[in-house]
Amino acid sequence: MKADPIALKLIQDLSNAPGASGFEDEVVGVARKFAESFGDIQEDFLRNLYISRKENKGDRPVVMLDAHSDEVGFIVQAIKPNGCLRFLQLGSWNKGGLPSTKVLVRNAKGEYIPGIIAAKPVHFMSAAEKASPSTEISSMVIDIGAISYEDAVQNFHVRIGEPIVPAVKCEYDERNGLIFGKGFDCRMGCAVLLEAMRRLEGKDLPCDVVGVLSSREELGHRVEGVASYRVKPDIAIVLEGCPADDTFVEGYMIQTALKKGPMFRHMDVSVICAPRFQRWALDLAAEKGIPVQEAVREGGGNNAAYIQTTALGAPAIVEGVPVRYAHSANCITSYQDFEASVQMLVAMLENITPEMIASM
């Protein structure tokens, strides 16, 4: 499958933009520029971005699209006397994979400077430490190359409270249709939302549509209630970058595999997605010949839970692009799955009618 150059650039720009939870400004900037031709745009102080179709009429049911713009990251907690940085997580990480990860630390000038997440070198570890190396964040530091506290502050312009993200550039393997990069949870969902709205530019739809790039999801969905209260949707679709399981579980348990289409999640620990809406979407996929997957999850969480409870019970479902190694510095996803996700979202928006919403 040949990638659409506009869509591919969008994915790369979103992935490359630094946007740890609470610091989504640059991601919002990418989305705002992309959407300005087809959307009326508003932004609140929490960095939630609202994109209303220019074709909306204002007297029809509202379909809310949601994708969170933040990524798991870190924040500078303190600067040590030797110039290394203590840090805390913004969101949950596989901490065992962090040592030796290259990162970018924002400084007081707004520049992102390179650093390395360092743990004690093996040369200085005891036998017990070698047998069971610590994976606690408190045992790690970020080394930016400074030699003292004063050096870090005066020459590197580091200060506490600044965000940190992986230093990973998004790359496309055209031959295999694979995309490598950071932050695919949920930049892939953001890309699906934006690209679908672009493809529907100028078309008349049965309902009004408002897309929301919501902030701080990785900190516990703490601001989604603000967005859903503001939009007041009648029905909602949450777009996600969902953890792929095809390299970790037995074959019969694989529910989110690469190159098998978007995943529709029946439930996780935060939500049971609206059953009637879910079945409607799955039937529509079969009718349109769009490959999709279904999942029932023991863990995880998403904004659908908070939309359903803060938007007066509006039914919500989740459509997710499979992402290998989500919540890691390096992720893998498939352009094929992205394209199927966009096609599915377009099909749903073309077929969600006031009568359909009333039947939910």
Side-chain angles (χ1 to χ4, degrees):
M1 174 182 294
K2 186 173 179 60
D4 180 293
I6 295 175
L8 182 60
K9 185 177 187 304
L10 172 65
I11 293 169
Q12 292 175 320
D13 288 348
L14 288 169
S15 175
N16 288 335
S21 286
F23 302 91
E24 299 89 352
D25 303 70
E26 295 191 42
V27 184
V28 169
V30 171
R32 178 185 281 275
K33 182 177 179 181
F34 185 85
E36 61 187 4
S37 67
F38 57 76
D40 294 323
I41 300 173
Q42 294 180 306
E43 184 178 341
D44 64 28
F45 86 96
L46 292 167
R47 300 286 76 82
N48 290 318
L49 188 72
Y50 304 88
I51 307 165
S52 300
R53 295 188 76 232
K54 292 184 176 180
E55 296 81 9
N56 286 354
K57 299 179 180 179
D59 57 354
R60 303 183 298 177
V62 175
V63 183
M64 177 178 174
L65 309 178
D66 171 86
H68 65 89
S69 59
D70 61 321
E71 63 186 293
V72 290
F74 310 97
I75 188 169
V76 179
Q77 183 187 29
I79 305 169
K80 299 182 70 173
N82 65 3
C84 289
L85 313 180
R86 289 285 300 272
F87 63 97
L88 297 178
Q89 300 179 92
L90 294 174
S92 61
W93 283 85
N94 178 346
K95 292 178 283 189
L98 290 180
S100 81
T101 297
K102 185 179 180 182
V103 296
L104 297 172
V105 181
R106 196 176 75 180
N107 67 12
K109 293 186 173 184
E111 304 163 335
Y112 277 86
I113 62 174
I116 300 291
I117 297 179
K120 184 186 290 188
V122 66
H123 312 74
F124 308 127
M125 295 171 70
S126 68
E129 288 173 325
K130 290 178 183 178
S132 182
S134 174
T135 59
E136 294 304 312
I137 294 292
S138 59
S139 70
M140 303 177 198
V141 295
I142 291 176
D143 188 341
I144 57 171
I147 59 174
S148 66
Y149 173 92
E150 292 75 17
D151 189 28
V153 172
Q154 295 172 11
N155 297 321
F156 291 83
H157 308 289
V158 173
R159 60 185 178 185
I160 68 170
E162 291 292 344
I164 304 160
V165 296
V168 176
K169 183 178 179 181
C170 187
E171 298 179 338
Y172 181 52
D173 175 0
E174 184 176 8
R175 183 177 65 180
N176 296 301
L178 296 172
I179 309 171
F180 297 79
K182 70 168 182 64
F184 289 165
D185 173 11
C186 169
R187 304 292 163 69
M188 293 305 298
C190 294
V192 170
L193 185 158
L194 291 164
E195 177 62 12
M197 292 188 75
R198 180 180 77 91
R199 294 188 190 184
L200 288 167
E201 183 178 1
K203 295 184 179 180
D204 188 30
L205 297 178
C207 297
D208 287 353
V209 177
V210 179
V212 179
L213 267 61
S214 54
S215 64
R216 308 190 192 188
E217 192 264 2
E218 298 296 357
L219 298 181
H221 319 273
R222 59 186 63 183
V223 302
E224 181 51 41
V226 173
S228 55
Y229 181 81
R230 179 167 178 164
V231 174
K232 296 179 172 58
D234 295 280
I235 201 165
I237 303 168
V238 173
L239 292 314
E240 266 285 4
C242 293
D245 56 12
D246 54 346
T247 58
F248 294 106
V249 303
E250 296 179 71
Y252 77 95
M253 281 294 290
I254 293 175
Q255 298 182 335
T256 314
L258 252 62
K259 300 188 177 181
K260 299 289 185 179
M263 179 268 275
F264 281 79
R265 182 179 302 184
H266 290 280
M267 69 161 285
D268 57 34
V269 295
S270 71
V271 67
I272 295 177
C273 290
R276 293 182 185 180
F277 191 6
Q278 179 86 337
R279 291 298 173 190
W280 176 89
L282 295 172
D283 289 345
L284 181 65
E287 176 188 330
K288 299 294 184 181
I290 301 173
V292 297
Q293 305 176 78
E294 304 174 56
V296 176
R297 291 296 185 215
E298 297 177 43
N302 66 84
N303 279 341
Y306 302 87
I307 293 172
Q308 289 190 158
T309 55
T310 60
L312 301 179
I317 58 173
V318 179
E319 178 188 5
V321 181
V323 172
R324 285 183 178 171
Y325 319 116
H327 287 218
S328 301
N330 292 278
C331 307
I332 305 173
T333 193
S334 157
Y335 185 85
Q336 176 180 325
D337 290 331
F338 165 79
E339 178 60 31
S341 300
V342 173
Q343 291 179 13
M344 186 64 202
L345 181 56
V346 167
M348 287 192 286
L349 294 175
E350 290 175 335
N351 286 276
I352 294 176
T353 64
E355 296 74 23
M356 174 269 185
I357 295 174
S359 73
M360 293 295 107

